[in-house]
């Protein structure tokens, strides 16, 4: 993981001039147009996206759409390398935290305005908070995505835990430890190292407001960091979560852990947009996250499922934006895409899927619960990939027992301050 990050940084430094150069819009081609679309996901996303692309080309025979798709692993590095080398697709799916990081390198993405897309279909604040950089709208949110806690009611009940428990930070331990106490191969939480980082961010947000604030400063104190790490040490000590020696094998893919698949882990943090994939064949429900008394911020995230952007180097930016308008506002496209990228972010999208009975009660409830509990947007600095990697590295060391809570807090603050100073 560290090697990948180093290679990525080398690529950015070596090719930074390409980012900064940007491009001026090339003259529109008069003949047939070929556009490439790039995204990550699984078959549940690939298949409907390809069908929507086919529907567009049927209506626009002069346009050929080519899909470039695969899994999550390595996608960010691929996109960064392609953008730097001038070989990126015309339309690119990105994760929301990447927008500011990539846009800061230059005119990487085309600006979108209301003359190109029916922006009245989107919530204005949602576009401003999550899809805008330096006053420019650079992308469109594929859906409204929120954190949710998925739980296996039957598994909880089998260990004497009320499946309707309203979870608090305390009873996650007092109730959750009952599972491992009865079965040493079973756990309350399916958290992998990357998911424990999300839990840590939620806890710190409630204590201090954020990990890194909008002023590019570490927002928590040594004492608050120690408190958070001390709490999560109990997760390991009392069998709430499996050892990192087991779960680190499934970094960013907890749903592939045989212990999860076989019903040996009762709950997990996840995103609503990937909930179905994560649940698989299990029968699960959703719950809200714990919030401590006097919390400064719930820490629960709400943001776009993903963002579609248009490559500023595209020779056919106008047609590419036309494709986006189709995907976001055309009833046929919306029905074909369904919930491939979560609950649609457009009014018409939600209306079409509701009329067709395509929004499941579980997804709707989880989204409503998440929106009701959503905290403040994270700062662009906290979402920076280097900052997230600093957090992950310290949490990895802590989870493997190499750092005490106090040492982990001190190291995290020190390393965050050094990284923030270099951004």
């Amino acid at each position: 993981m560290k090697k990948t990050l180093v290679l990525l940084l080398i690529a950015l430094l070596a090719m930074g001039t390409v980012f900064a150069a940007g491009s001026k819009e090339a003259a529109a081609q008069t003949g047939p147009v070929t556009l490439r679309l790039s995204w990550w996901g699984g078959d549940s996303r690939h298949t409907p996206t390809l069908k929507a692309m086919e529907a567009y080309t049927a209506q626009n025979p002069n346009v050929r759409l080519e899909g470039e798709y695969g899994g999550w692993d390595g996608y960010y590095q691929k996109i960064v390398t392609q953008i730097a080398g001038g070989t990126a697709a015309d339309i690119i799916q990105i994760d929301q935290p990447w927008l500011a990081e990539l846009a800061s390198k230059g005119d990487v993405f085309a600006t979108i305005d209301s003359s190109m897309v029916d922006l009245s279909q989107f919530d204005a604040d949602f576009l401003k908070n999550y899809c805008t950089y330096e006053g420019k709208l650079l992308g469109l949110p594929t859906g409204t995505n929120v954190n949710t806690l998925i739980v296996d009611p039957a598994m909880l009940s089998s260990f004497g835990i009320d499946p309707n428990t309203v979870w608090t930070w305390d009873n996650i331990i007092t109730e959750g430890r009952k599972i491992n106490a009865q079965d040493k191969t079973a756990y309350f939480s399916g958290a992998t190292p990357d998911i424990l980082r999300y839990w840590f961010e939620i806890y710190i947000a409630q204590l201090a407001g954020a990990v890194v604030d909008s002023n590019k400063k570490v927002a928590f104190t040594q004492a608050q960091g120690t408190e958070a790490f001390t709490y999560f040490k109990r997760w390991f000590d009392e069998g709430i979560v499996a050892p990192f020696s087991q779960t680190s094998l499934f970094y960013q893919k907890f749903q592939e852990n045989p212990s999860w698949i076989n019903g040996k882990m009762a709950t997990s943090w996840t995103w609503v947009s990937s909930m179905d994939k994560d649940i698989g064949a299990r029968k699960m429900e959703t719950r809200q996250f714990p919030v401590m008394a006097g919390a400064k911020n719930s820490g629960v995230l709400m943001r776009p499922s993903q963002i579609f952007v248009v490559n500023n180097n595209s020779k056919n930016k106008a047609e590419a934006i036309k494709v986006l308008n189709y995907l976001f506002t055309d009833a046929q496209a919306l029905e074909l895409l369904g919930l491939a990228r979560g609950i649609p972010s457009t009014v018409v999208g939600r209306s079409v899927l509701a009329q067709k009975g395509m929004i499941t009660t579980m997804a709707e409830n989880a989204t409503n619960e998440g929106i009701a509990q959503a905290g403040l947007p994270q700062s662009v600095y906290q979402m920076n990939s280097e900052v997230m990697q600093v957090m992950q590295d310290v949490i990895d060391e802590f989870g493997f027992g190499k750092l005490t809570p106090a040492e982990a807090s001190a190291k995290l603050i020190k390393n965050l301050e050094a990284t923030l100073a270099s951004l």
Side-chain angles (χ1 to χ4, degrees):
M1 187 160 53
K2 289 183 178 179
K3 182 178 180 182
T4 300
L5 181 61
V6 170
L7 293 173
L8 172 60
L9 293 175
I10 291 172
L12 284 171
L13 291 171
M15 302 178 183
T17 53
V18 178
F19 275 109
S23 76
K24 294 188 177 180
E25 186 168 1
Q29 294 182 358
T30 56
V33 172
T34 297
L35 295 173
R36 295 157 51 216
L37 282 74
S38 175
W39 71 89
W40 78 84
D43 289 340
S44 62
R45 182 174 298 162
H46 303 330
T47 300
T49 304
L50 291 169
K51 288 181 178 178
M53 291 164 58
E54 290 173 4
Y56 182 86
T57 55
Q59 295 181 22
N60 300 272
N62 66 309
V63 179
R64 178 181 177 184
L65 299 180
E66 298 177 348
E68 299 177 3
Y69 50 92
W72 167 264
D73 288 350
Y75 182 85
Y76 176 75
Q77 289 85 348
K78 182 185 79 170
I79 293 302
V80 167
T81 301
Q82 287 180 333
I83 292 174
T87 60
D90 300 274
I91 299 172
I92 310 168
Q93 176 183 292
I94 65 170
D95 199 12
Q96 194 278 331
W98 308 343
L99 183 70
E101 190 170 343
L102 295 175
S104 68
K105 305 300 179 183
D107 293 329
V108 178
F109 305 129
T111 302
I112 299 171
D113 62 46
S114 58
S115 69
M116 308 168 179
V117 175
D118 182 6
L119 298 182
S120 68
Q121 292 291 331
F122 300 87
D123 180 82
D125 288 337
F126 202 56
L127 292 180
K128 179 181 178 181
N129 290 335
Y130 297 103
C131 302
T132 301
Y133 180 77
E134 294 189 342
K136 297 178 181 179
L137 181 63
L138 298 182
L140 296 174
T142 60
T144 301
N145 204 9
V146 291
N147 294 163
T148 190
L149 180 64
I150 50 177
V151 304
D152 185 330
M155 181 178 175
L156 292 173
S157 294
S158 70
F159 286 95
I161 301 171
D162 181 355
N164 296 312
T165 297
V166 176
W167 294 106
T168 67
W169 293 107
D170 289 336
N171 68 17
I172 282 178
I173 292 177
T174 58
E175 292 295 302
R177 65 189 175 194
K178 293 177 181 178
I179 295 176
N180 189 251
Q182 297 174 57
D183 180 351
K184 292 303 180 185
T185 67
Y187 301 89
F188 175 81
S189 174
T192 46
D194 55 302
I195 289 179
L196 195 70
R197 191 196 84 228
Y198 281 113
W199 276 107
F200 177 84
E201 289 185 80
I202 291 173
Y203 197 98
I204 285 291
Q206 294 182 17
L207 275 182
V211 175
V212 178
D213 64 25
S214 59
N215 295 315
K216 206 166 72 168
K217 301 294 184 183
V218 175
F220 65 95
T221 65
Q222 167 69 22
Q224 289 170 326
T226 300
E227 177 184 335
F229 280 113
T230 298
Y231 173 80
F232 287 108
K233 185 174 186 298
R234 294 187 66 190
W235 278 29
F236 291 100
D237 293 345
E238 302 195 38
I240 304 301
V241 66
F244 274 8
S245 58
Q246 188 221 102
T247 60
S248 63
L249 300 173
F250 303 98
Y251 181 82
Q252 293 188 338
K253 51 185 178 183
F254 80 91
Q255 72 280 358
E256 297 180 14
N257 187 339
S259 293
W260 173 262
I261 295 170
N262 296 322
K264 289 289 189 176
M265 295 170 167
T267 73
S268 184
W269 172 103
T270 191
W271 291 101
V272 170
S273 65
S274 59
M275 184 171 63
D276 289 346
K277 170 177 65 70
D278 296 337
I279 290 173
R282 299 180 67 176
K283 296 184 183 300
M284 305 194 79
E285 298 177 1
T286 62
R287 299 289 185 268
Q288 289 188 309
F289 288 91
V291 178
M292 63 183 65
K296 294 185 177 180
N297 177 4
S298 74
V300 176
L301 299 179
M302 178 181 73
R303 66 188 193 203
S305 305
Q306 306 87 23
I307 295 176
F308 267 132
V309 295
V310 171
N311 184 353
N312 208 33
N313 272 323
S314 172
K315 296 179 180 179
N316 296 282
K317 284 187 284 188
E319 188 67 38
I321 294 174
K322 182 182 173 185
V323 171
L324 287 189
N325 190 53
Y326 170 80
L327 294 176
F328 282 101
T329 64
D330 183 86
Q332 180 187 23
L334 291 163
E335 182 177 352
L336 288 170
L337 289 169
L339 296 173
R341 290 176 173 81
I343 302 290
S345 56
T346 57
V347 175
V348 65
R350 292 189 292 273
S351 175
V352 167
L353 297 196
Q355 290 173 14
K356 298 291 182 180
M358 297 174 68
I359 297 180
T360 65
T361 300
M362 185 174 179
E364 184 176 13
N365 289 344
T367 299
N368 290 337
E369 290 170 353
I371 291 173
Q373 201 180 32
L376 303 172
Q378 291 182 337
S379 71
V380 294
Y381 305 109
Q382 186 167 330
M383 293 188 291
N384 179 275
S385 63
E386 295 176 55
V387 170
M388 288 193 288
Q389 190 61 53
V390 166
M391 287 190 281
Q392 191 64 60
D393 289 344
V394 172
I395 285 170
D396 287 351
E397 286 190 80
F398 165 75
F400 277 106
K402 297 179 180 179
L403 298 172
T404 67
E407 290 170 343
S409 180
K411 185 167 186 177
L412 180 57
I413 291 172
K414 178 182 177 181
N415 291 0
L416 284 173
E417 289 177 341
T419 299
L420 290 168
S422 71
L423 293 180

